[in-house]
Amino acid sequence: RNLGFTDNTSLFVFTYDWRKKLTDLADTLNTYITTKIPTGTKVNIVGHSLGGLVGRIYVQKYGTSRINTLITVGSPHQGIPQAYKAFAGGEFFRDYSLEWLAMKIIFILNRSSGQTDRSVVADRLPVTQDLLPIYDFLKRADGSFIDATTMTYKNDTLLTYKTTFSSIFPVFQSITGEKGTTLLGF
């Protein structure tokens, strides 16, 4: 807006339900673009974190005919190890932050009788599986890594789209940074 863009004319804000699977979110973005943006108009997509992944999967799934540029900012294109504890065990880091408290509240509000934390995550936060790392991140006691592609809980979405990721590189830009030490695995 500060640069002179006008809402719903030259600036469109796509909001989404962050709990849903990436492929479903990409479908919703496709509907949004085909409904809001005039045919023949190319857009620039800018997405932060999960929003960047939504934009990426959209471009990979629907192509670049409507896209000038896809810019992702701090997006986990190879997944994040923190998602493993949440998806595989229904467990979140116990740092007692506001994020941890929010997740506890989500469990309480969404738990059915007898439901485990893991099943609450799988049922109510399916995007968590789409955030699992696609690289080897779990070490055995002997120091060897477990092959991420053979695990019971794996990220089928990013693994599937990994093979065609380079096809969008002509329109793709990624902004990353450093914020201390990044967790690479367990």
Side-chain angles (χ1 to χ4, degrees):
R1 292 177 191 116
N2 291 340
L3 295 173
F5 292 102
T6 307
D7 287 338
N8 298 314
T9 303
S10 57
L11 174 66
F12 297 86
V13 178
F14 172 69
T15 58
Y16 58 90
D17 184 343
W18 58 269
R19 298 167 296 185
K20 292 184 176 182
K21 295 202 66 59
L22 282 173
T23 52
D24 295 341
L25 294 171
D27 294 341
T28 305
L29 178 56
N30 181 57
T31 301
Y32 181 87
I33 288 173
T34 57
T35 303
K36 295 262 188 186
I37 311 296
T39 304
T41 303
K42 288 192 166 201
V43 298
N44 298 315
I45 295 176
V46 180
H48 172 254
S49 193
L50 181 61
L53 290 179
V54 173
R56 171 192 161 185
I57 300 302
Y58 162 80
V59 174
Q60 286 188 259
K61 191 171 183 179
Y62 291 98
T64 59
S65 65
R66 310 260 343 237
I67 305 301
N68 272 327
T69 305
L70 165 65
I71 301 170
T72 67
V73 182
S75 298
H77 292 286
Q78 294 191 55
I80 55 172
Q82 292 88 334
Y84 180 74
K85 283 187 173 186
F87 188 78
E91 212 178 289
F92 291 88
F93 286 99
R94 294 180 183 261
D95 59 0
Y96 300 100
S97 65
L98 288 177
E99 180 182 328
W100 175 84
L101 180 60
M103 295 315 300
K104 285 300 183 187
I105 291 170
I106 287 171
F107 284 137
I108 291 167
L109 294 176
N110 291 287
R111 184 184 320 278
S112 300
S113 179
Q115 196 174 23
T116 65
D117 286 351
R118 191 228 170 279
S119 63
V120 171
V121 171
D123 292 346
R124 302 294 185 169
L125 305 169
V127 73
T128 310
Q129 184 173 10
D130 291 339
L131 293 173
L132 292 172
I134 59 172
Y135 59 89
D136 300 343
F137 66 100
L138 282 179
K139 278 187 181 180
R140 294 181 185 91
D142 67 6
S144 64
F145 281 97
I146 298 170
D147 183 345
T149 63
T150 64
M151 293 176 61
T152 301
Y153 302 121
K154 61 181 175 248
N155 186 335
D156 293 320
T157 301
L158 290 183
L159 284 170
T160 298
Y161 284 93
K162 177 183 178 181
T163 59
T164 60
F165 189 20
S166 63
S167 70
I168 69 167
F169 285 1
V171 300
F172 175 77
Q173 296 289 320
S174 183
I175 299 171
T176 61
E178 293 182 19
K179 184 177 86 174
T181 304
T182 300
L183 176 65
L184 296 176
F186 301 106

